[in-house]
Amino acid sequence: MARGKWGASWRSTGRPDAPPIVCSGQVGNARQLTAIDTLAEGIGLRIGQGLAEARAIRPDLDVSEADAEADQRLLDALANWCDRYTPLVALDGRDGLLLDITGCAHLFGGEAKMLDDVLARLRSMGLDAKGAISSTAGLSWALSRFGAVRVVEQRDTQAALTSLPVASLRLDGEVVAGLVRMGLKQVGDLIDLPRAPLARRFGAAVLLRLDQALGRVGEPISPRRSLAMLSVERHLVEPIRDRDMILDLAEGLAAGLKPGLEARGEGGRLFELLLFRVDGRVFRIEVGTAAPLREPKRIAALYRERLEVAADDMDAGFGFEFVRLNVLASEAFRDGMPQLLTEQSAPNDSLPDFIDLVSARLGPGCLKVPVSLASHWPERASGAVSLTDHVQSVGSPVDAPARLERPLRLLSRAEPVTVLAEIPHGPPASFQWRRIRHRVVRSEGPERLTPEWWLEDANTSERDYFRVEDAEGRRYWIYRQGLYERGATDPGWFMQGIFA
């Protein structure tokens, strides 16, 4: 709210003379404060307080409606922004982020300087954030909310945790209240207590959270995004805005990826370009390829097509200060596979070349190819998949299960027809479809298909399919639902498809 009212730099320029800012929402049957600024906190307001009571204390409160979805969008945007420090970023509740910076801190001058950089940049964006670095996620959570120490070495874990309140162990409010009533107000009061009575009285969660904070029990971190297989990045001295400069930089980063791909004997199938804008916004641009790719010029050409489309939605603002190129998916690069757009060659007119360029401009799902699926039931026997995912190399065969002749066109939904047959279980002699009567001159069948019992309803009946030709030479695929010998008194007839 403050950023929207006074701009992102208001913390640097100073807070204007304005009333306290709070957010309120409906909690049960009452309107309560869900968020407050530092000025509101200074006059004694608190989260969970009734709005009427807060207005009685300060009538000129600036009150806005709480918006949980907007809060989540902001947290997601901040998580994207934190990718500049580490690719392992996880959401921590509704108001926190958890970063695994193992092996990353030295790139920023050490843990303390890295934390200073994070907090300073967030403050410049108008956000008041707190943070801590330790060897466990539980201790970092506790220090960032209840502690004064910001960086703790692994050997000092217990000492840093001892003086913190028990609420820092991420326990339920009722458990915290019960511990305080028993006189156990600090974490240090719990460490040396007998564990069995403590668990019986307050539950096993107390011991689990304590052990996680101390590092005795591991605590997995679930990053928002999968870790890139290969990554190359560039910090820029001066922000860039020009598209051609971005493409030149993308080609340079792609050249940095090439040795790593060659060492693996692979080529990239999915690339991701991340552009970090000066004000903190992050743009993610993905391009997929129909065949494994290493050539930097080819990768840059795909991004040129992609940026042509994304130009209207990608506002460079004051420029991009940090750029990263990731390989999200790769595949074995076979010897003899043609190198596209090399220094000495012109662009190829190959199928993968065409697929890549069109998909980069119009999106990965713009080209689809029909494929046969592992099902004999007509509604599930075929489908359309992305051509980018389907084509592995030029001329790759498409394996299809062996089936009898099928029509070129299948109706999206089988349509009922009225049939006259010489004998009840025989082929149709004539049929009426869409108010037109057709006289059958040739027929083949029946081909009996039984339902897939593991997918279909138990009442689904077998079908007898007939390939029929009318007097005009048109050929149709018709089936009878239900069998006379199975007790069906009046099986229905349906039109499934049309042959060429």
Side-chain angles (χ1 to χ4, degrees), residues 57-358:
I57 297 174
R58 186 68 184 261
D60 62 343
L61 277 179
D62 187 350
V63 182
S64 296
E65 184 70 21
D67 189 342
E69 293 183 359
D71 293 342
Q72 187 62 47
R73 288 195 299 270
L74 175 60
L75 191 62
D76 289 336
L78 291 176
N80 286 332
W81 177 82
C82 286
D83 278 350
R84 67 174 56 226
Y85 297 101
T86 172
L88 300 177
V89 180
L91 298 179
D92 185 21
R94 296 185 301 173
D95 62 350
L97 296 172
L98 186 61
L99 281 65
D100 186 346
I101 61 171
T102 304
C104 301
H106 70 281
L107 300 175
F108 302 89
E111 294 176 346
K113 291 185 177 180
M114 180 179 182
L115 183 58
D116 290 340
D117 185 68
V118 173
L119 298 180
R121 286 176 178 270
L122 290 175
R123 185 175 182 82
S124 69
M125 292 190 287
L127 300 171
D128 183 20
K130 298 179 181 179
I133 297 177
S134 72
S135 59
T136 68
L139 179 56
S140 295
W141 189 96
L143 291 173
S144 62
R145 290 166 173 80
F146 298 93
V149 181
R150 298 195 306 166
V151 180
V152 176
E153 299 291 338
Q154 185 173 1
R155 61 178 180 274
D156 300 326
T157 297
Q158 182 168 329
L161 190 63
T162 299
S163 59
L164 298 179
V166 291
S168 66
L169 291 179
R170 300 174 289 173
L171 299 171
D172 292 338
E174 295 182 0
V175 176
V176 172
L179 290 170
V180 172
R181 285 195 299 268
M182 294 291 293
L184 305 172
K185 299 180 179 180
Q186 295 181 332
V187 178
D189 299 333
L190 304 177
I191 293 178
D192 296 327
L193 288 179
R195 297 172 66 87
L198 189 63
R200 284 196 300 269
R201 178 65 178 83
F202 299 103
V206 176
L207 299 181
L208 175 62
R209 290 303 193 185
L210 179 62
D211 290 340
Q212 287 177 339
L214 292 172
R216 297 171 180 170
V217 175
E219 184 174 359
I221 297 176
S222 300
R224 300 166 61 248
R225 298 179 178 274
S226 301
L227 186 64
M229 304 179 61
L230 289 173
S231 181
V232 179
E233 60 189 41
R234 184 80 54 84
H235 291 266
L236 305 176
V237 178
E238 294 290 338
I240 61 174
R241 301 178 70 253
D242 184 71
R243 186 178 61 186
D244 290 335
M245 296 180 66
I246 295 174
L247 291 172
D248 290 341
L249 187 56
E251 183 176 343
L253 294 175
L257 290 175
K258 187 175 181 180
L261 290 171
E262 290 177 342
R264 290 168 170 257
E266 297 177 340
R269 287 293 308 277
L270 181 62
F271 297 88
E272 179 187 48
L273 182 66
L274 285 82
L275 303 172
F276 293 78
R277 206 166 66 180
V278 172
D279 63 354
R281 186 172 178 184
V282 181
F283 294 90
R284 297 177 180 271
I285 307 173
E286 293 184 0
V287 294
T289 66
L293 191 61
R294 296 175 181 169
E295 183 57 42
K297 286 187 175 295
R298 180 72 185 118
I299 298 172
L302 296 180
Y303 273 107
R304 182 178 298 278
E305 297 292 333
R306 194 74 185 91
L307 291 177
E308 286 284 349
V309 180
D312 295 337
D313 299 327
M314 193 179 71
D315 180 12
F318 291 104
F320 302 105
E321 61 178 351
F322 178 54
V323 182
R324 176 184 294 149
L325 183 62
N326 294 330
V327 178
L328 300 183
S330 64
E331 194 173 280
F333 195 93
R334 296 188 298 275
D335 293 337
M337 185 172 287
Q339 294 287 327
L340 303 180
L341 287 182
T342 61
E343 295 284 355
Q344 297 80 19
S345 64
N348 289 328
D349 293 328
S350 62
L351 178 60
D353 186 16
F354 169 78
I355 294 171
D356 292 346
L357 292 176
V358 174

Side-chain angles (χ1 to χ4, degrees), residues 37 44 51 70 202 214 298 319 328 336 362 387 420-421 443 452 500:
D37 69 352
L51 179 59
F202 299 103
L214 292 172
R298 180 72 185 118
L328 300 183
L362 303 180
L387 193 58
L420 292 178
S443 65
E452 296 170 325

